[in-house]
Every structure is written in C-alpha cells, then in structure tokens.
Amino acid sequence: MTASSRRGFLAISGLAMAGTALTLAGCSTTNTALAPTTGAQDDTVAALPMVNKLRASKGLSALTLDAPARTAASIQAVRMAKAEEMQHLIGIGDDFGKRMKRSDVKLPAAENIASGQHSVEAAVQAWINSPKHLENMLGNYRGLGVAMATGADGRSYWSMVLSSGS
C-alpha cells in the first residue's frame, strides 16, 4: 500500500467512524428526541399479557407498562432495522447500560432481541423457547417495553426491554 493510498484509506476510515458516531449520537440526545421513535411499532400492550401469564405460571409478580422501557425498545428495534442486523450492540462505542440510561430506563435492565417473526406472539414465543431470553423474562424486573421495526430488507426486528422501573 502506498503512502497516498494509506492516507486515502485513513481519511475514508475516519469518515466512516465519524458517520457511525453521529448516528449513535442522534439516537441519544434528549428525552424529547427519544420519545416515540419513527419507524417503530410499539407492541408492549399486546406482549404484556403473554409475558405476565408466563410469569404467573412461575409464581412471579406481573410486569407493568414502562414508558422508558417502551422508548428504549423502540429505539433498539429501529437501530437494528436500519442496520439490517440483529445485534444488541451496533456501531463503535455502543454500550447497553449507557443506552438504557439515555432512555431513563431504571437499572438493572435486560434486553431481548429477535428478527424475522411475523407477529408479537411469535416473537414472545421465540424468547420463551430460548433459555437466556426466558431467564430475562423471569428475572427480577417490574417494567416492560416491546417494539418492532421493519428493515429495508423486509425483515422484522424485535426488541424487548425489561426494567426495574414502573
């Protein structure tokens, strides 16, 4: 690689990294910017009875609707849809705890994600069928938020946030 091609590569790399940082910063400025996320479908009301039925069958207390968890779930669903990948951490410097704090989610919190399910029922069932996701749903949490966004690839991207709030 020549010196001039290395400089070009470094400049392009810097632009790519700066673009990523700007994208992440755009998702995390203020509560106003975080309130209902464009492109996300809030499915918390539909998911809550399913999750609470599961929790009741294990002798656990019911979860409640939690506005910050709903916001955080919407943001994560949109992020995954835009990236067209199912990942908890997207982009350089992404941090789950900081992301939850920016949405005012009371910690501790947990996040379940899924992709490709065509209904909230199917997404919740996929999480029930996964031991780690099931463990999250049966954890010591009080609040819930669930959202879905569709990527340009036509896939659905689901996020569930369980919080200590509400």
Side-chain angles (χ1 to χ4, degrees), residues 24 28 76 79 88-102 107 111:
L24 292 175
S28 63
Q76 181 62 11
R79 292 174 73 231
H88 290 282
L89 303 177
I90 300 171
I92 297 169
D94 194 7
D95 179 276
F96 173 76
K98 288 178 183 176
R99 200 163 29 87
M100 293 299 109
K101 285 180 184 179
R102 285 190 301 260
L107 301 176
E111 178 179 75

Side-chain angles (χ1 to χ4, degrees), residues 48 82 87 107 113 129-130 135 138 146 150:
L48 190 62
K82 285 182 179 177
Q87 295 290 329
L107 301 176
I113 58 175
N129 294 342
S130 166
E135 181 181 327
L138 298 177
V146 177
T150 304

Side-chain angles (χ1 to χ4, degrees), residues 30-87:
T30 66
N31 284 344
T32 304
L34 297 177
T37 304
T38 304
Q41 171 182 306
D42 186 333
D43 283 304
T44 309
V45 171
L48 190 62
M50 292 180 271
V51 175
N52 282 339
K53 180 178 177 184
L54 169 71
R55 290 176 61 86
S57 74
K58 306 292 184 185
L60 299 171
S61 62
L63 301 178
T64 61
L65 299 172
D66 182 50
R70 292 170 90 171
T71 298
S74 293
I75 290 169
Q76 181 62 11
V78 168
R79 292 174 73 231
M80 291 187 300
K82 285 182 179 177
E84 295 182 359
E85 68 179 75
M86 186 185 76
Q87 295 290 329

Side-chain angles (χ1 to χ4, degrees), residues 97-140:
K98 288 178 183 176
R99 200 163 29 87
M100 293 299 109
K101 285 180 184 179
R102 285 190 301 260
S103 292
D104 293 327
V105 172
K106 188 170 179 189
L107 301 176
E111 178 179 75
N112 289 348
I113 58 175
S115 178
Q117 292 77 14
H118 297 292
S119 68
V120 66
E121 294 83 8
V124 171
Q125 190 59 53
W127 290 321
I128 290 170
N129 294 342
S130 166
K132 180 61 180 164
H133 294 106
L134 176 61
E135 181 181 327
N136 285 343
M137 290 191 296
L138 298 177
N140 189 24

Side-chain angles (χ1 to χ4, degrees), residues 1-18:
M1 183 178 275
T2 67
S4 87
S5 66
R6 275 190 303 239
R7 277 191 300 272
F9 173 76
L10 291 173
I12 291 169
S13 297
L15 287 174
M17 288 174 60

